[in-house]
Amino acid sequence: LARLEQSGGGSVQSGGSLRLTCLISFDTPDKHCLAWFRQSPGEERQGIATVATDGDERYRTYHDSVKGRFDVSVSDHGTKFYLQMDNLGPGDSAMYYCAVDRSSPPCSFRIEYYTSWSKGSQVTVSS
């Protein structure tokens, strides 16, 4: 469906900011959902933000844990996908992944819908 190359992440102190970038090559030009997930050791992978490849505002959603602090955006018809993370706290420390939904919107956080994944980036926030 797609090939994803993720960059960004790293270590930051509490209250700091980081930006993740996902470059996507699609096999088809259809409209898809894009999502950011994160996973901490011993926990399930959790969806935190979604957006459609055309930036349709109807499908921009956030998990309550990041609402008001994280911003998701796309450019170049969804081939560039970003997660701006502000006011980070230790609870945000995790491995972060970008992913592409196999079908068209509406978008959700159901992990089984996402069939193309990046290798992930580590985000570590110290107090």
Side-chain angles (χ1 to χ4, degrees), residues 8-61:
S11 297
V12 67
Q13 290 190 325
S14 187
S17 298
L18 287 172
R19 180 179 172 93
L20 302 178
T21 299
C22 188
L23 302 180
I24 306 174
S25 299
F26 292 95
D27 292 336
T28 62
D30 301 326
K31 183 173 180 175
H32 292 281
C33 289
L34 307 177
W36 289 99
F37 286 77
R38 68 184 181 186
Q39 187 171 21
S40 300
E43 297 187 8
E44 293 185 352
R45 193 168 295 189
Q46 176 190 57
I48 57 172
T50 70
V51 70
T53 47
D54 63 356
D56 192 331
E57 285 296 326
R58 294 176 295 172
Y59 307 117
R60 188 188 305 271
T61 59

Side-chain angles (χ1 to χ4, degrees), residues 37-48 89-97 121-125:
F37 286 77
R38 68 184 181 186
Q39 187 171 21
S40 300
E43 297 187 8
E44 293 185 352
R45 193 168 295 189
Q46 176 190 57
I48 57 172
D92 296 312
S93 296
M95 197 73 169
Y96 284 69
Y97 303 88
S121 296
Q122 178 66 42
V123 170
T124 303
V125 185

Side-chain angles (χ1 to χ4, degrees), residues 6 20 28 55 64 84-85:
Q6 184 177 335
L20 302 178
T28 62
D64 286 346
Q84 176 66 37
M85 304 181 289

